[in-house]
């Protein structure tokens, strides 16, 4: 998997867009690519490194996921709601796809609930 395949997969979800909102926040933030559903983030990664992505996650599943090799605490986001997932082969592409899809669904459902 390369960055373009990953990007295409993230953008394949309905109402998804990408952006780079952290350009002025800290030294290496210019290359942080964020995927949104509506106005909410569901995935982010560093384009320069492409070594891991950060995903929204059901808090009930986080402890179990962190027991897996390649899944860790996120950088600079809530450890209660986000996980960092390795993209260097430690985590299978199938699991990564599943976690990205789950992240998208979690955020999309929260948007729907607020609009009801």
């Amino acid at each position: 998997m390369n960055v373009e395949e990953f990007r295409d997969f993230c953008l394949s979800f309905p109402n998804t867009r990408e952006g780079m909102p952290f350009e002025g926040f800290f030294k290496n933030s210019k290359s942080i690519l964020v995927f949104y559903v509506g106005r909410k983030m569901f995935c982010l990664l560093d384009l320069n490194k492409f070594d891991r992505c950060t995903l929204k996650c059901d808090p009930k599943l986080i402890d179990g996921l962190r027991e897996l090799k390649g899944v860790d605490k996120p950088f600079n986001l809530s450890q209660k709601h986000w996980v960092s997932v390795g993209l260097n082969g430690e985590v299978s592409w199938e699991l990564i796809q599943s976690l990205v899809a789950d992240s998208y669904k979690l955020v999309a459902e929260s948007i729907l609930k607020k609009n009801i």
Side-chain angles (χ1 to χ4, degrees):
M1 162 191 40
N2 63 42
V3 69
E4 283 303 318
E5 291 170 327
F6 187 86
R7 181 179 167 268
D8 289 345
F9 178 71
C10 289
L11 291 172
S12 71
F13 297 102
N15 303 314
T16 299
R17 67 180 177 83
E18 63 186 341
M20 298 181 81
F22 302 117
E23 290 181 295
F25 281 89
F26 52 93
K27 185 178 178 182
N28 296 323
S29 63
K30 291 180 186 178
S31 62
I32 305 296
L33 178 63
V34 178
F35 297 95
Y36 300 89
V37 56
R39 298 175 126 186
K40 293 188 162 233
M41 300 187 304
F42 72 93
C43 178
L44 55 143
L45 61 100
D46 186 333
L47 285 171
N48 288 341
K49 294 181 182 176
F50 191 60
D51 61 343
R52 51 187 48 263
C53 64
T54 303
L55 302 168
K56 187 92 176 201
C57 189
D58 183 336
K60 295 177 225 160
L61 303 176
I62 286 179
D63 288 337
L65 285 171
R66 286 201 190 125
E67 292 177 9
L68 301 174
K69 186 175 182 177
V71 180
D72 207 344
K73 296 176 182 177
F75 172 75
N76 214 23
L77 289 172
S78 169
Q79 296 178 23
K80 182 179 178 184
H81 297 280
W82 294 85
V83 293
S84 177
V85 179
L87 300 171
N88 54 8
E90 290 180 328
V91 180
S92 72
W93 175 230
E94 292 77 18
L95 180 55
I96 292 168
Q97 286 177 304
S98 176
L99 293 172
V100 171
D102 290 346
S103 179
Y104 169 84
K105 289 175 195 167
L106 192 65
V107 174
E109 287 171 359
S110 76
I111 291 169
L112 284 175
K113 286 178 186 176
K114 287 182 181 179
N115 291 331
I116 293 178

